Amino acid sequence: MFGETYELFSEQHLLLFRLPGVVCGVLTVLLVYLLGKKIFDEKTALIGAVLTAFSPNLAAHFSVACLDWPLLFFSLLTITALYYFVETPSAEGAAIVGVTLGCALATKIQ
């Protein structure tokens, strides 16, 4: 219309669609490192983070625009919050576990 062309999905749209998956991928690797450092030691945490970052299945699919990777991140975040809550129970910890579980459940609803 009026001489302008419109593309339904341009490269800018695709970048915006894929960005949450990439961010969740980076945060998942960071969370694996932090949880591994808390449970084990720094060397083991680094090995776990490197294996997560260079896993062919994860690395190839973190840039795909789907909700599997945010679900992975929020599920791991819920497990981490639950670990901290069991270690030191408190009302704030219970609220954090509830919020992270809510985010994990809300992520995959389609």
Side-chain angles (χ1 to χ4, degrees):
M1 190 168 171
F2 302 115
E4 294 181 24
T5 60
Y6 178 76
E7 294 180 31
L8 184 59
F9 295 116
S10 66
E11 286 297 318
Q12 294 157 342
H13 288 115
L14 292 177
L15 176 67
L16 291 175
F17 293 156
R18 293 175 179 159
L19 192 60
V22 172
V23 169
C24 285
V26 171
L27 291 176
T28 299
V29 171
L30 180 65
L31 196 56
V32 165
Y33 174 76
L34 294 175
L35 189 60
K37 188 175 177 183
K38 177 71 176 168
I39 296 175
F40 302 108
D41 60 350
E42 190 167 347
K43 183 178 179 182
T44 306
L46 188 61
I47 291 171
V50 167
L51 288 175
T52 303
F54 292 110
S55 169
N57 199 16
L58 296 178
H61 293 97
F62 271 139
S63 65
V64 176
C66 65
L67 294 176
D68 294 337
W69 310 123
L71 178 66
L72 170 69
F73 168 69
F74 282 119
S75 297
L76 189 59
L77 189 63
T78 302
I79 291 169
T80 304
L82 188 61
Y83 179 81
Y84 280 104
F85 175 70
V86 168
E87 195 173 65
T88 56
S90 66
E92 294 86 14
I96 291 172
V97 170
V99 168
T100 57
L101 180 61
C103 289
L105 292 173
T107 300
K108 198 57 179 174
I109 293 177
Q110 295 181 6

